[in-house]
Amino acid sequence: MSYACRARRLFRIARLVFSGLAVVLQMACSDSNLNNPYPEGDKGKNTHYNLFRERPKHLDPIISYSEDEYAFLGQIYEPVVQYHYLKRPYELIPATATAVPRPRYLDKDKQPLPTEADPSQIAYSVYDIRIKPGIRYQPHPAFATGNDDRYLYHGLSAKELEDIYTLSDFAHTGTRELIAADYVYQIKRLAAFQNPEFYKRQSMRLSTARTPRVIACAEDLPQFVGLPRG
């Protein structure tokens, strides 16, 4: 092959390479995103997208431990108090409580102690929490009742649930007011944990008749619920 033929061939290859490069650069400068993961219809809307390091495993605040899960929990459950979003240093403000509770101290005989009492004398730290009236749950089939005030969907059989796939498949919903007992139930769960001895005996096929599955450490007192320290 002569020198002139080789030059013409190299010129054609170079022209093809630069033409392809020009197309790539033109696409890179386009307003469209080839790998845009968001719906085209959401363009220009006031929508905030975020990412999660891992898929949420629990939506139960008692056993949840991931920051990603609390992005959902904060929209599902409303606490009695919360941090002010803008103030620094951080400051607690009431959420469902009428005011931020302040502790009062009791000794081992449940007798009041002064605020400046020696920590070694304090056996109980008491928090009186009053819930704001008028707070209601979001409408949900679990709260639906009939004319006799009995729940419609409690204790349904497997046959009655055959055509139920989503919450919207239930014909009725209901709601009720938030009460202090709802928080008491969750507070008690904070002081309860699975009994490892129960599962040990169960795995060894031993009797668990006198071994509780759950160890509950909460103490029901006449006017409040007691939780162990630590």
Side-chain angles (χ1 to χ4, degrees), residues 99-185:
V100 176
R102 304 297 179 186
R104 52 189 179 90
Y105 305 115
L106 306 178
D107 61 17
K108 62 181 181 179
D109 298 321
K110 300 183 178 63
Q111 298 301 311
L113 292 171
T115 307
E116 302 80 9
D118 187 339
S120 62
Q121 298 178 346
I122 299 175
Y124 296 92
S125 300
V126 181
Y127 293 85
D128 294 311
I129 304 174
R130 300 186 182 277
I131 305 302
K132 296 176 183 176
I135 300 175
R136 304 187 69 83
Y137 283 92
Q138 179 179 347
H140 193 280
F143 295 127
T145 57
N147 296 329
D148 56 356
D149 292 334
R150 298 181 62 182
Y151 290 110
L152 297 176
Y153 303 124
H154 286 204
L156 296 179
S157 64
K159 183 173 181 58
E160 292 173 310
L161 292 171
E162 285 181 351
D163 298 325
I164 303 298
Y165 298 98
T166 66
L167 292 178
S168 60
D169 293 333
F170 291 97
H172 304 282
T173 60
T175 183
R176 70 168 174 82
E177 188 172 6
L178 175 70
I179 58 176
D182 297 328
Y183 284 111
V184 170
Y185 172 74

Side-chain angles (χ1 to χ4, degrees), residues 11-228:
F11 177 76
R12 293 193 193 100
I13 295 174
R15 187 170 58 181
L16 290 174
V17 170
F18 282 108
S19 298
L21 180 61
V23 171
V24 171
L25 291 175
Q26 185 178 5
M27 293 175 62
C29 297
S30 174
D31 292 336
S32 63
N33 192 344
L34 295 179
N35 62 342
N36 184 8
Y38 308 120
E40 187 64 27
D42 287 355
K43 186 176 181 180
K45 293 184 178 180
N46 188 20
T47 305
H48 172 72
Y49 295 97
N50 205 341
L51 55 87
F52 299 96
R53 290 187 294 272
E54 59 180 353
R55 185 175 63 179
K57 299 182 179 66
H58 305 284
L59 293 181
D60 183 348
I62 301 301
I63 60 177
S64 177
Y65 56 87
S66 169
E67 181 181 354
D68 292 337
E69 293 167 353
Y70 269 86
F72 296 97
L73 293 177
Q75 302 176 59
I76 300 173
Y77 303 97
E78 194 169 8
V80 292
V81 294
Q82 63 185 5
Y83 286 108
H84 194 289
Y85 288 107
L86 301 177
K87 288 188 177 181
R88 298 293 185 274
Y90 293 103
E91 177 183 339
L92 278 177
I93 59 175
T96 60
T98 56
V100 176
R102 304 297 179 186
R104 52 189 179 90
Y105 305 115
L106 306 178
D107 61 17
K108 62 181 181 179
D109 298 321
K110 300 183 178 63
Q111 298 301 311
L113 292 171
T115 307
E116 302 80 9
D118 187 339
S120 62
Q121 298 178 346
I122 299 175
Y124 296 92
S125 300
V126 181
Y127 293 85
D128 294 311
I129 304 174
R130 300 186 182 277
I131 305 302
K132 296 176 183 176
I135 300 175
R136 304 187 69 83
Y137 283 92
Q138 179 179 347
H140 193 280
F143 295 127
T145 57
N147 296 329
D148 56 356
D149 292 334
R150 298 181 62 182
Y151 290 110
L152 297 176
Y153 303 124
H154 286 204
L156 296 179
S157 64
K159 183 173 181 58
E160 292 173 310
L161 292 171
E162 285 181 351
D163 298 325
I164 303 298
Y165 298 98
T166 66
L167 292 178
S168 60
D169 293 333
F170 291 97
H172 304 282
T173 60
T175 183
R176 70 168 174 82
E177 188 172 6
L178 175 70
I179 58 176
D182 297 328
Y183 284 111
V184 170
Y185 172 74
Q186 289 292 73
I187 290 172
K188 287 182 177 180
R189 292 186 63 216
L190 286 171
F193 57 93
Q194 302 291 332
N195 184 4
E197 183 63 25
F198 174 89
Y199 294 99
K200 178 181 177 180
R201 296 182 64 85
Q202 188 180 56
S203 65
M204 298 173 65
R205 299 181 179 274
L206 299 176
S207 173
T208 59
R210 297 185 179 182
T211 306
R213 183 191 297 267
V214 176
I215 297 177
C217 300
E219 184 181 2
D220 282 310
L221 301 171
Q223 296 181 348
F224 51 89
V225 176
L227 299 181

